[in-house]
Amino acid sequence: MDGLRRLADAVLLPGFVGTSAPDWVRRRVADGLGGVLLFGRNVVDDEQVAALSASLRAERPEVVVAIDEESGDVTRLDAARGSALPGPHALGAIGDLELTREVGAALGARLAACGVTLDLAPCADLTLAAEDPIIGVRAFGSEPHAAAAQVAAFIAGIQQSGVAACAKHFPGHGASTADSHRELPVLARTEEQLRTVELVPFRAAIAAGVRSVMTGHLVIPAWGESPATLNRHAVTEVLRGELGFTGAVVTDALEMNAVSGTAGISDGAVQALLAGADLLCVGGELADAEVVDRLAEAIVAAVHSGRLSEELLAGAAARAASLGGPVTGGPAPDGDLGLRAARRAVEVRGELKLAGPPLVVDVEVDPSIAVGAVPWGLGPHLSELLPGTRVLRPGPGGKDEILDSVNGSPVVVVTRDAHRHAEVRRLVVELASIGLDLVHVETGVPGPDLGSVARIDTHGSAYVCLRAAAELLAANTAREDRR
């Protein structure tokens, strides 16, 4: 492989299918591929991920092994069950910076043991728009300075094990009402708003020594027509120049429609490098050798044409390589930490007291693409803790099915971001209005009161968040065996 193609490969971070590295991945890693990005489809358990990472490192020790492990709702290591650690919104609700650092350290130690060198977390976004379909509980909150302190603490925790953290999605996705997986968001934010709100957590991340920053595929009209990932003003002038970031800039996935549906992934890769990006993510949906070849060929062609300088490409490749391994590791995480933290995050409004085992109504809505098909629902947890609990999993239009199943039982209705789903809101309000003994458990961003007798906010759908809510309900339920 010639030197220019090797440089082009060195800035690519693709995904692949399978729980062991395919031959094409191993060959390209040996030849200088920047790294690989692991998804839930690549994970069986921690031991298997460690073996997978070791096999890649055997091909080239400094390869980047990345994963999108935020804790909370977005998890890859725990995709089969749900995260063993609460997510950012839960930690922000607690407001204990030392706990946040401890959770980050536990995550970093686990990732290091798995051989991961780069964690695409935490979100430095803010929860700014109620209609935001993609960030929600992935953010530490809505107040810029409080969230900034949380971001810095989480980064410090992750990086103490030698794993690189990644603050995302620059310049901040939380005010968007569009999902960049599906379309190109345009944020009508002034530069003054950005500097006093969205950029505050990114400044804190940089001050904390974050080793990478991920760009978001969103347009800031004040910065031009191109999304931040492809925008030189955003990456080179603001992120590097104004904010002083000197680490590696990682793109969000180029096959997301905000880029693939506008610039296209091949030209998008070249535009991202010209903007100042160093490591180009692809492979959530396009996960084969062909896409790696296509992107590398486009980059090489851009150098040959004079559009992209070899010097710029070499600088990007060097910064990308700084995120490689091996990692140093850290102390084994406390196995009870996640549940203890989740219990502290749970908030109760009203009087929580059930007359007996309830009917749990887990109202299912489609998760965001970022979250994916991770198990969700309170019913299985409460059924285990409280014999006699019955469970329904209707859609938002299941009112009649619920009423037919009540039979005098208390009802626990469980939602995720009810404020974003009109049918779900209407269902909860109607159940409350007919006088049921009703508890509403909200597992997303807390929204307005919908009239239930009591309300529990978990600030996330992680396994431990749902478990903590179930424990609280079980402890406040009258049972025959207590009489």
Side-chain angles (χ1 to χ4, degrees):
M1 179 178 292
D2 66 40
L4 187 54
R5 172 58 191 261
R6 189 178 181 91
L7 281 179
D9 276 7
V11 299
L12 300 180
L13 188 71
F16 61 88
V17 176
T19 55
S20 59
D23 289 344
W24 71 265
V25 170
R26 297 179 69 132
R27 286 196 305 271
R28 281 165 172 79
V29 167
D31 287 339
L33 183 68
V36 298
L37 178 55
L38 304 181
F39 292 86
R41 66 186 179 223
N42 305 121
V43 173
V44 176
D45 55 31
D46 289 16
E47 291 73 22
Q48 170 265 329
V49 175
L52 170 57
S53 300
S55 73
L56 295 167
R57 198 157 289 115
E59 302 294 339
R60 203 177 83 253
E62 64 274 21
V63 65
V64 177
V65 180
I67 198 166
D68 196 355
E69 185 68 40
E70 297 177 9
S71 76
D73 287 33
V74 175
T75 180
R76 309 307 183 217
L77 292 179
D78 291 329
R81 188 188 79 157
S83 180
L85 294 171
H89 210 269
L91 295 171
I94 297 167
D96 181 340
L97 295 178
E98 178 55 29
L99 176 64
T100 298
R101 188 208 60 77
E102 191 178 354
V103 170
L107 178 57
R110 184 182 179 191
L111 292 171
C114 288
V116 171
T117 71
L118 169 63
D119 186 19
L120 300 180
C123 286
D125 311 284
L126 299 167
T127 49
L128 297 176
E131 300 82 12
D132 160 41
I134 194 64
I135 299 300
V137 293
R138 299 168 67 195
F140 287 98
S142 58
E143 202 289 313
H145 295 282
Q150 292 282 329
V151 167
F154 198 81
I155 287 167
I158 289 178
Q159 294 193 163
Q160 76 180 46
S161 290
V163 176
C166 183
K168 62 185 185 185
H169 307 77
F170 181 82
H173 218 300
S176 172
T177 57
D179 182 351
S180 53
H181 292 87
R182 304 181 186 279
E183 57 187 307
L184 179 60
V186 178
L187 301 188
R189 304 287 282 175
T190 66
E191 292 197 69
E192 179 62 21
Q193 286 175 314
L194 290 171
R195 288 187 174 90
T196 57
V197 182
E198 277 95 337
L199 297 187
V200 173
F202 288 97
R203 286 196 192 95
I206 294 167
V210 71
R211 290 171 57 192
S212 65
V213 171
M214 176 179 281
T215 56
H217 303 329
L218 58 159
V219 171
I220 308 295
W223 291 353
E225 297 180 357
S226 297
T229 297
L230 314 182
N231 189 314
R232 182 172 176 80
H233 178 80
V235 178
T236 299
E237 296 181 23
V238 178
L239 178 57
R240 293 208 185 278
E242 182 179 331
L243 301 188
F245 180 62
T246 58
V249 175
V250 183
T251 72
D252 210 343
L254 295 179
E255 71 265 37
M256 291 166 63
N257 203 49
V259 170
S260 64
T262 54
I265 64 166
S266 296
D267 198 57
V270 174
Q271 289 187 44
L273 291 167
L274 288 168
D278 303 308
L279 194 55
L280 312 180
C281 288
V282 67
E285 299 173 37
L286 303 176
D288 54 32
E290 187 275 332
V291 72
V292 173
D293 289 338
R294 193 189 339 164
L295 296 185
E297 289 163 6
I299 293 166
V300 169
V303 175
H304 284 316
S305 72
R307 183 183 179 195
L308 177 67
S309 75
E310 187 171 347
E311 180 182 13
L312 186 150
L313 181 59
R319 285 186 292 273
S322 74
L323 303 176
V327 291
T328 58
D334 176 355
D336 293 329
L337 174 64
L339 185 55
R340 287 192 285 107
R343 288 169 181 151
R344 291 180 60 185
V346 172
E347 295 180 323
V348 178
R349 309 182 200 179
E351 183 181 3
L352 184 60
K353 186 176 181 181
L354 299 180
L359 173 69
V360 176
V361 180
D362 286 324
V363 185
E364 295 193 270
V365 295
D366 290 336
S368 71
I369 293 175
V371 172
V374 176
W376 175 87
L378 185 71
H381 296 273
L382 194 56
S383 296
E384 180 182 335
L385 296 173
L386 186 62
T389 297
R390 294 174 296 128
V391 182
L392 281 181
R393 299 186 71 91
K399 178 185 172 183
D400 290 343
E401 180 185 1
I402 296 166
L403 294 180
D404 287 344
S405 303
V406 170
N407 294 330
S409 298
V411 177
V412 176
V413 60
V414 189
T415 62
R416 175 155 56 187
D417 289 331
H419 64 279
R420 291 201 304 108
H421 302 280
E423 281 188 294
V424 176
R425 292 197 308 274
R426 184 162 51 248
L427 173 64
V428 178
V429 168
E430 289 178 353
L431 292 176
S433 70
I434 59 179
L436 296 176
D437 181 4
L438 182 71
V439 176
H440 177 200
V441 178
E442 174 54 69
T443 68
V445 175
D449 179 25
L450 300 178
S452 57
V453 173
R455 159 89 169 263
I456 297 175
D457 292 327
T458 65
H459 298 276
S461 297
Y463 175 93
V464 289
C465 293
L466 296 169
R467 192 73 180 183
E471 288 179 347
L472 189 61
L473 284 161
N476 287 275
T477 301
R479 291 188 284 183
E480 289 291 335
D481 59 7
R482 289 183 177 173
R483 295 174 187 172

